[in-house]
């Protein structure tokens, strides 16, 4: 499994810094005038000061130009503040969580084996359904990405899989999202070191970013956040029956699975941002094409890099696709069996995490492709227009 170093770019930084310096100087000398009469009052006072020193039309013209630049800067700044304020979410109350009644774990008071009807009585209607690596759909439920969960159903419409990266977990054990990995291992039986698929035993990677346990005839994966003292950051539960449907390490590629991984990574990113008090990103369809093309290029030509074989950076590729932006970034991953494992790994990689949790990003396009041996390549392109 690989993760590329997250990259980001802020174009025209020098121009912005220059304007900010000019604005700072003006504020020092003319802040009171701005408070009393706005930018026009500043301009008039500057005119008066200059005229008193020397009648010089060229100087006045220069001052007018700088004043206009400052005014435009202030307008953009106020507009951005307004847009961010409008984008702030109304806080949704968390559900009242209860201890599980049949199993060791529940998410949002939902347990493996519950019916779809029971789930939707609890959490409302689904926001999205998309194919996952088990050949069934992850059904996402949330309120603008608050109280976010994904549920997988079997052919009897019973819960066969659960996931959340928000604090919606209850257990019969002394485990919570505040628990460290060390505390989890002290409470639980030893984690699995391998999972059998047919005649092949697949080793569980021992990177301390997650542990897989077999509990109540379910495979329970607890993910940890290396940047928050290795505390529990997410949980995935898969029934034994559903796990056995996945015959190989990598799922069989398809257009539906490609799209499923893309939308799931988008939803997982927004759920993580909301948990950290950040705004929800918009889905950027044109950017998905750029991301998909890069994933396909890496998969087809067996390389893994932000710079493609033609020497183009992520920003070159976006520009070539006529995508305009003021700020952009890219995350890469490959070799993870699913969107969930890819996302949790990206969150544990500092550069990628910074892109996911970048305050100023506004949009995201995700592109996935599969190599000839079914290995998935994931590309996330973030931007601010």
């Amino acid at each position: 499994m690989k993760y590329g170093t997250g990259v980001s770019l802020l174009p025209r930084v020098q121009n912005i810094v220059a304007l900010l310096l000019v604005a700072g100087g003006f504020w020092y000398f003319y802040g009171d005038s701005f408070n009393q009469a706005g930018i026009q009052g500043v301009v008039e006072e500057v005119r008066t000061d200059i005229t008193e020193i020397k009648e010089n039309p060229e100087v006045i013209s220069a001052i007018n130009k700088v004043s206009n630049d400052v005014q435009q800067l202030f307008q953009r700044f106020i507009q951005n503040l307004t847009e961010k304020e409008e984008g702030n979410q109304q806080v949704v109350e968390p559900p009242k969580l209860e201890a599980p009644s049949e199993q060791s774990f529940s998410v949002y008071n939902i347990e493996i084996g519950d019916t779809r009807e029971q789930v939707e009585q609890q959490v409302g209607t689904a926001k999205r359904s998309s194919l996952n690596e088990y050949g069934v759909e992850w059904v996402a439920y949330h309120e603008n990405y608050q109280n976010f969960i994904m549920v997988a159903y079997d052919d009897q419409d019973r819960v066969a899989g659960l996931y959340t990266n928000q604090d919606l977990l209850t257990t019969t054990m002394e485990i919570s999202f505040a628990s460290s990995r060390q505390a989890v291992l002290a409470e639980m039986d030893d984690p699995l070191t391998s999972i059998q698929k047919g005649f092949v035993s697949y080793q569980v990677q021992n990177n301390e970013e997650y542990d897989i346990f077999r509990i109540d005839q379910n495979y329970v994966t607890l993910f940890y956040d290396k940047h928050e003292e290795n505390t529990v950051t997410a949980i995935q539960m898969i029934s034994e029956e559903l796990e056995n449907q996945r015959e190989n390490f990598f799922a069989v590629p398809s257009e539906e699975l490609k799209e499923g991984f893309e939308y799931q990574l988008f939803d997982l990113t927004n759920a993580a941002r909301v948990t950290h008090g950040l705004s929800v990103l918009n889905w950027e369809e044109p950017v998905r094409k750029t991301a998909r093309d890069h994933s396909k290029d890496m998969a087809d030509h067996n390389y893994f890099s932000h710079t493609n074989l033609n020497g183009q950076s992520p920003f070159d590729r976006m520009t070539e696709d006529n995508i305009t932006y003021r700020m952009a970034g890219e995350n890469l991953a490959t070799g993870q069996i699913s969107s969930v494992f890819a996302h949790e790994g990206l969150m544990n990689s500092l550069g990628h995490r910074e892109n996911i949790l970048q305050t100023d990003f506004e949009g995201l396009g995700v592109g996935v492709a599969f190599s000839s041996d079914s290995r998935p390549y994931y590309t996330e392109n973030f931007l601010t227009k």
Side-chain angles (χ1 to χ4, degrees):
M1 295 183 288
K2 296 181 181 178
Y3 299 93
T5 303
V7 295
S8 59
L9 175 71
L10 181 60
R12 299 187 293 276
V13 170
Q14 291 180 327
N15 291 341
I16 293 173
V17 170
L19 281 175
L20 286 174
L21 289 172
V22 171
F26 267 67
W27 188 261
Y28 180 82
F29 289 106
Y30 301 107
D32 291 341
S33 297
F34 178 81
N35 288 331
Q36 295 174 12
I39 192 66
Q40 193 58 43
V42 173
V43 173
E44 293 303 322
E45 186 168 344
V46 170
R47 284 178 181 275
T48 300
D49 289 347
I50 294 297
T51 301
E52 289 175 354
I53 296 170
K54 184 177 182 180
E55 291 289 344
N56 190 328
E58 292 181 359
V59 173
I60 295 297
S61 176
I63 290 295
N64 285 339
K65 183 180 184 306
V66 172
S67 299
N68 288 336
D69 287 343
V70 173
Q71 185 171 11
Q72 290 174 13
L73 177 65
F74 280 139
Q75 288 173 344
R76 288 199 299 271
F77 179 69
I78 296 299
Q79 181 180 0
N80 286 338
L81 286 180
T82 303
E83 288 174 353
K84 289 184 181 298
E85 184 66 28
E86 290 174 352
N88 287 342
Q89 302 183 75
Q90 182 177 357
V91 176
V92 176
E93 288 296 320
K96 181 180 179 182
L97 299 177
E98 301 174 356
S101 58
E102 302 291 333
Q103 306 241 325
S104 300
F105 294 88
S106 66
V107 170
Y108 205 142
N109 299 327
I110 299 162
E111 300 176 41
I112 299 292
D114 287 353
T115 66
R116 186 190 291 259
E117 182 180 8
Q118 289 174 313
V119 171
E120 297 196 344
Q121 284 177 350
Q122 175 77 15
V123 302
T125 57
K127 295 297 190 294
R128 192 196 309 279
S129 295
S130 55
L131 190 68
N132 65 24
E133 67 276 16
Y134 294 100
V136 298
E137 293 187 336
W138 274 129
V139 183
Y141 300 91
H142 57 86
E143 298 173 78
N144 204 18
Y145 292 100
Q146 298 176 74
N147 298 331
F148 175 85
I149 65 171
M150 296 195 301
V151 183
Y153 298 101
D154 63 17
D155 56 7
Q156 302 297 315
D157 254 359
R158 290 191 172 274
V159 176
L162 280 167
Y163 169 89
T164 188
N165 57 358
Q166 297 183 358
D167 192 3
L168 300 168
L169 170 68
T170 50
T171 81
T172 58
M173 306 177 185
E174 295 297 322
I175 295 174
S176 71
F177 269 44
S179 300
S180 67
R181 180 173 185 261
Q182 183 178 9
V184 169
L185 294 178
E187 180 73 14
M188 308 272 278
D189 292 334
D190 291 339
L192 299 178
T193 57
S194 64
I195 295 178
Q196 193 75 23
K197 294 291 180 184
F199 297 107
V200 180
S201 178
Y202 292 98
Q203 297 299 307
V204 174
Q205 183 174 349
N206 184 20
N207 58 7
E208 299 185 359
E209 293 186 9
Y210 63 85
D211 289 306
I212 303 177
F213 304 90
R214 193 173 180 276
I215 304 171
D216 302 331
Q217 297 184 319
N218 302 315
Y219 290 90
V220 178
T221 304
L222 291 172
F223 298 91
Y224 310 108
D225 192 329
K226 287 186 173 181
H227 302 285
E228 294 186 8
E229 300 181 341
N230 288 314
T231 51
V232 175
T233 190
I235 181 171
Q236 176 180 275
M237 292 184 282
I238 302 294
S239 72
E240 185 177 52
E241 182 178 359
L242 184 57
E243 182 63 47
N244 290 338
Q245 289 181 206
R246 187 169 64 89
E247 297 180 352
N248 300 307
F249 185 73
F250 292 130
V252 177
S254 67
E255 287 298 315
E256 291 78 13
L257 183 60
K258 178 196 299 183
E259 185 173 277
F261 281 172
E262 290 167 350
Y263 282 127
Q264 289 153 26
L265 276 171
F266 175 76
D267 288 344
L268 293 166
T269 296
N270 274 330
R273 286 177 64 85
V274 166
T275 299
H276 288 81
L278 302 174
S279 61
V280 168
L281 301 177
N282 300 315
W283 175 259
E284 297 289 341
E285 186 63 28
V287 182
R288 167 158 64 172
K289 178 185 180 301
T290 304
R292 270 189 178 182
D293 287 347
H294 187 55
S295 288
K296 186 176 188 304
D297 192 46
M298 290 189 294
D300 288 349
H301 296 96
N302 192 31
Y303 75 95
F304 185 70
S305 174
H306 291 289
T307 303
N308 66 18
L309 300 181
N310 295 323
Q312 292 177 309
S313 72
F315 318 110
D316 295 328
R317 295 190 290 273
M318 293 174 71
T319 300
E320 185 176 65
D321 288 342
N322 297 315
I323 294 167
T324 58
Y325 58 90
R326 291 185 290 115
M327 182 178 183
E330 180 174 87
N331 285 350
L332 300 179
T334 186
Q336 298 76 17
I337 61 173
S338 71
S339 57
V340 168
F341 279 85
H343 170 75
E344 296 301 336
L346 289 168
M347 284 294 289
N348 269 324
S349 175
L350 186 58
H352 301 97
R353 181 189 185 93
E354 288 174 349
N355 277 339
I356 291 170
L357 302 181
Q358 168 58 249
T359 303
D360 295 324
F361 280 144
E362 299 171 350
L364 170 63
V366 184
V368 173
F370 301 93
S371 66
S372 58
D373 62 355
S374 303
R375 180 187 185 94
Y377 285 75
Y378 309 90
T379 300
E380 298 177 335
N381 286 142
F382 302 83
L383 82 167
T384 299
K385 294 181 179 179

